[in-house]
Amino acid sequence: MRGAEVAVLTGAGVSTDSGIPDYRGEGAPVRTPMTVQAFLASERSRKRYWAGSHLGWRTFGSAQPNAGHFALARMEAAGNVNGVITQNVDGLHRRAGSRHVVELHGGMDRVLCVSCGQHYARQAIAERLAELNPAIDLDTAIRPAPDGDVEVDDVDAMTIPACTVCGGILKPDVVFFGEFVPTDTFQAAASLVRGADVLLVAGSSLVVNSGMRLIELARRNKLPIVVVNRGITKGDSRAAVKIDAGASETLVAMAAALGA
């Protein structure tokens, strides 16, 4: 990749070294994620979601960027990378110093009202949830998931905050299962791919359709595709190079080889 401008697509495998588990990696538990239809249709579903997400936020929100995140930021600063497209919602690329980041599925550190579009910082909503639910046990041992969620069974007593502007439903500013990536977000990602010489995929099994759409765009534009992931991915047959290895150490090695 020396001398080429690289667009990077990252998935959950980039953040596993930050303590955020992968959806589909070896040993990952079977999960039934909340769909947007269920979230919007049922107050009990929203209570269940927010109870688990509130408990998970303590761990998820305190995760720190790892060596792979910092390596990508260095490669961008050195002019090797034109930007990072991420399927992750953890905000760690931004916190590591990457400047041009397209968050395909949004960011868990933001909350929005589905009625009026008002945005809130996630920490502010976490504080409101704690105030409304003083008995919630934040010292319980929890098992974080890739989207900052945990399983909570008893949610009937949970009180969830409403939008302070219009009283509407609050939802993390992320693309739930059953939602589409916003058109302008996908176009920003596509623009990075079109402006690059190489597409590097790191830590993604490419099961989610948004990632494969970018792979197909790269293929149509005759860009070489490099895939770094432990295990098989849906993009392996389209890759010019497949590296079966961990994302962090491989990205660090790439940055060193490029002098970043």
Side-chain angles (χ1 to χ4, degrees):
M1 297 190 302
R2 187 178 298 276
E5 193 164 80
V6 182
V8 182
L9 171 64
T10 67
V14 169
S15 292
T16 53
D17 286 344
S18 294
I20 299 174
D22 196 344
Y23 274 122
R24 300 178 178 87
E26 184 177 347
V30 176
R31 302 181 65 247
T32 305
M34 178 72 68
T35 66
V36 69
Q37 292 84 2
F39 183 87
L40 295 176
S42 163
E43 183 181 22
R44 192 172 195 281
S45 292
R46 292 192 291 275
K47 286 184 175 185
R48 178 165 62 86
Y49 176 84
W50 277 112
S53 187
H54 181 61
L55 290 171
W57 174 248
R58 180 181 62 175
T59 298
F60 191 82
S62 63
Q64 298 299 313
N66 63 52
H69 295 110
F70 288 118
L72 285 172
R74 292 197 302 274
M75 285 190 279
E76 182 185 13
N80 306 122
V81 165
N82 72 348
V84 175
I85 306 157
T86 186
Q87 297 170 315
N88 300 335
V89 297
D90 52 40
L92 294 180
H93 286 298
R94 287 183 280 112
R95 289 169 56 193
S98 289
R99 297 172 64 88
H100 198 170
V101 180
V102 178
E103 295 174 317
L104 278 178
H105 301 152
M108 192 60 75
D109 57 354
R110 305 182 299 272
V111 175
L112 83 161
C113 172
V114 300
S115 297
C116 72
Q118 176 69 31
H119 277 79
Y120 299 86
R122 175 59 183 266
Q123 187 56 37
I125 300 303
E127 291 168 4
R128 287 177 61 191
L129 277 162
E131 291 170 2
L132 290 168
N133 303 276
I136 196 166
D137 183 10
L138 292 182
D139 291 325
T140 299
I142 61 174
R143 291 174 300 186
D147 53 6
D149 197 7
V150 297
E151 291 297 323
V152 176
D153 295 324
D154 184 13
V155 299
D156 289 324
M158 183 79 179
T159 300
I160 51 177
C163 177
T164 56
V165 176
C166 74
I169 294 171
L170 294 182
K171 170 184 170 293
D173 192 10
V174 298
V175 176
F176 275 36
F177 282 79
E179 284 189 288
F180 295 105
V181 173
T183 300
D184 57 346
T185 300
F186 186 82
Q187 288 305 318
S191 179
L192 282 179
V193 173
R194 292 190 187 99
D197 303 306
V198 177
L199 175 62
L200 169 64
V201 180
S204 176
S205 58
L206 295 169
V207 171
V208 178
N209 186 51
S210 57
M212 282 306 297
R213 288 174 66 193
L214 293 170
I215 289 286
E216 284 303 303
L217 176 63
R219 186 187 63 80
R220 290 197 303 271
N221 282 270
K222 296 182 169 50
L223 268 66
I225 298 166
V226 178
V227 175
V228 178
N229 193 67
R230 290 195 188 279
I232 62 173
T233 82
K234 285 183 67 176
D236 287 355
S237 64
R238 298 164 177 81
V241 177
K242 166 64 186 296
I243 302 173
D244 197 321
S248 293
E249 59 263 37
T250 306
L251 291 170
V252 169
M254 287 179 174
L258 293 170

